[in-house]
Amino acid sequence: MLIGPRMHDGNNGYLVITPLEREGTGTTVLVNRGWIAKKLRRQSDRTEGLPTGEVVIEGLLREPWKKNMFTPDNKPEQGEFYFPDVQQMAMVTGSQPVWIEETMEPDLLKAYDREAKGIPIGRAAEVNLRNNHTQYIFTWYALSAATTIMLWMVVRKPPSDIARRVRQNKEW
């Protein structure tokens, strides 16, 4: 299956999704093997990129991205997928709804060689965690400064006329 169109380094292409039958259990999972150029869309144009026999996949279990409002609906009956709907793709292929992204070493020369041969280019094995610590620092220090200024304004506020008269009253 192909998901696309997708861009990679300014070139138009597709992501190759292959059902992988696991040894032993006989279960099948979906593997995102990577990006291929648009000119190699047909399998007959990329015979070197088609796995045969037993293969070993190194990858990460990831949750695929979600469809946004501008992405058209998938057309599985026509074999057109614009975003990875794992449930839908699993039903079409008869596999489990498990999404694995094949990873590869980020080597530019290997990527050019793979692209020329029609072998999909996988992603680097990196885990992106959100790091909002700087945002939190600025938020909390700004709130602290604002409350300090408000306290200073309350303390420095001149007493009202009644409070001043009560303080100056000698009959207390």
Side-chain angles (χ1 to χ4, degrees), residues 51-109:
T52 56
E54 188 173 313
V55 294
V56 176
I57 299 290
E58 290 183 20
L60 297 173
L61 288 170
R62 294 192 188 207
E63 186 175 345
W65 64 95
K66 303 292 182 208
K67 175 186 174 189
N68 64 27
M69 60 187 268
F70 300 108
T71 305
D73 291 329
N74 289 335
K75 300 175 186 171
E77 61 279 350
Q78 298 174 2
E80 294 180 5
F81 292 91
Y82 301 103
F83 68 97
D85 184 346
V86 177
Q87 296 291 336
Q88 189 178 53
M89 295 169 91
M91 286 189 336
V92 168
T93 61
S95 66
Q96 293 178 324
V98 177
W99 177 267
I100 299 174
E101 284 192 10
E102 184 178 3
T103 57
M104 65 175 274
E105 292 292 323
D107 185 3
L108 185 62
L109 295 177

Side-chain angles (χ1 to χ4, degrees), residues 2-172:
L2 300 175
I3 297 178
R6 291 279 176 247
M7 298 296 288
H8 177 69
D9 292 337
N11 297 320
N12 200 2
Y14 297 91
L15 293 178
V16 178
I17 311 303
T18 304
L20 174 73
E21 185 176 334
R22 297 175 21 192
E23 183 181 44
T25 60
T27 57
T28 306
V29 294
L30 296 172
V31 178
N32 176 2
R33 295 184 50 223
W35 180 89
I36 59 165
K38 185 176 182 178
K39 64 183 178 183
L40 300 172
R41 180 179 187 184
R42 292 193 316 261
Q43 288 184 350
S44 59
D45 294 338
R46 53 183 166 94
T47 55
E48 284 190 62
L50 300 175
T52 56
E54 188 173 313
V55 294
V56 176
I57 299 290
E58 290 183 20
L60 297 173
L61 288 170
R62 294 192 188 207
E63 186 175 345
W65 64 95
K66 303 292 182 208
K67 175 186 174 189
N68 64 27
M69 60 187 268
F70 300 108
T71 305
D73 291 329
N74 289 335
K75 300 175 186 171
E77 61 279 350
Q78 298 174 2
E80 294 180 5
F81 292 91
Y82 301 103
F83 68 97
D85 184 346
V86 177
Q87 296 291 336
Q88 189 178 53
M89 295 169 91
M91 286 189 336
V92 168
T93 61
S95 66
Q96 293 178 324
V98 177
W99 177 267
I100 299 174
E101 284 192 10
E102 184 178 3
T103 57
M104 65 175 274
E105 292 292 323
D107 185 3
L108 185 62
L109 295 177
K110 281 185 184 178
Y112 285 150
D113 187 46
R114 290 174 74 114
E115 182 179 352
K117 292 178 180 178
I119 301 171
I121 302 170
R123 286 181 42 180
E126 60 184 23
V127 178
N128 297 323
L129 299 174
R130 288 182 23 195
N131 182 0
N132 291 333
H133 289 86
T134 307
Q135 178 183 345
Y136 296 150
I137 289 171
F138 285 118
T139 300
W140 288 108
Y141 275 104
L143 289 171
S144 174
T147 55
T148 302
I149 291 170
M150 288 189 290
L151 176 65
W152 181 78
M153 290 171 64
V154 168
V155 170
R156 294 287 297 170
K157 181 178 174 185
S160 65
D161 191 43
I162 295 174
R164 193 170 8 99
R165 277 191 265 152
V166 169
R167 283 186 199 160
Q168 293 175 351
N169 190 354
K170 304 283 184 190
E171 296 175 10
W172 258 103

